Amino acid sequence: MSNQGTTSEIFTGIILQKSRIAEHTIHIKIQSADFSKIKYVAGFTTDVFLSNPYYNPHSVSREYSFWNYEPVYNIADLAINTFSNGEGTDWVKGIQEGDTIFFKEPSGDLVIDQSGENYFLIGDITALSHLYEINRALAVSKEVYSLIYAGSKEDVFPDIDHSFPLKYYILSPMDSRSILDLINIHFPKDGKNTVAYVLGDSENATAIYKFLKDNPDFDIQRIYFKSFWKKKR
Ligand SMILES: Cc1cc2nc3c(=O)[nH]c(=O)nc-3n(C[C@H](O)[C@H](O)[C@H](O)COP(=O)(O)OP(=O)(O)OC[C@H]3O[C@@H](n4cnc5c(N)ncnc54)[C@H](O)[C@@H]3O)c2cc1C
């Protein structure tokens, strides 16, 4: 979350399409001529203003991942969760097709890294679109091991091409102990040169990151880790 007294360029786009794709996820398609200014890399994110920053210089923003980017017509897809029940949730519920949307120049530090042989893609539903985009961008020669954890099957949505390339697990309770057990059971211990992406709710993502970091059982050369949001107690 950030308050914007920013001088950086503000991009604008139009919401072409909005649809609910799972119990707690809304898909929006945005078209913006400003996208032609960027050199898109899979894993980019953008800070979306939740109100018009020209009218309200203190407009807050939320960061969302590109689920897909189509450069010919300058169209990006975002998948925005409604679990978190904060201002971002209110915003995505309220927007309509045809609305103008304001956001910062897309960029990212969770972008595609082709340097590994094996990949661990781990996260919750808020990170699913990001992990789908990384998975699609990886060279076909890479071995991908995935774990998407959710509280209900109704929360899981397919990738943009309607496929389910990542493995998901429905957990009750959805706690870090259960997730770490699954990693121990399903992820290879003998894989060499592994790159991991660990994204999602703060509590579980942090526990997974701590478990994998410097773990002698897994040869992980790099972990891309980010806490996306924090559950309200
Ligand atoms: C790199 C990145 C990519 C993201 N991509 C997506 C996406 O594609 N789809 C999606 O639904 N959400 C995504 N998020 C999460 C999103 O930015 C919001 O934080 C989340 O949706 C909650 O917003 P809210 O207004 O509904 O809830 P609120 O609870 O009102 O959010 C409060 C704010 O608190 C901040 N915050 C507080 N504690 C933490 C913490 N421990 N870790 C992280 N943030 C904290 C968040 O920045 C959030 O903006 C991403 C976050 C990051 C950092």
Side-chain angles (χ1 to χ4, degrees), residues 1 62-63 65 79 81 84 86-89 126 202 227-228 232:
M1 176 166 53
R62 292 290 184 270
E63 190 168 1
S65 307
N81 89 88
S84 44
E87 284 183 67
T89 298
T126 69
S202 172
S227 163
F228 271 21
K232 295 180 181 74

Side-chain angles (χ1 to χ4, degrees), residues 99 104 107 110 125 152 165 182 211:
D99 283 356
K104 287 199 214 166
S107 62
L110 301 168
I125 294 298
S152 155
L182 286 169
F211 171 73

Side-chain angles (χ1 to χ4, degrees), residues 208-219:
I208 298 163
Y209 171 70
K210 284 184 179 160
F211 171 73
L212 291 177
K213 190 174 174 296
D214 304 323
N215 187 328
D217 286 345
F218 302 97
D219 176 30

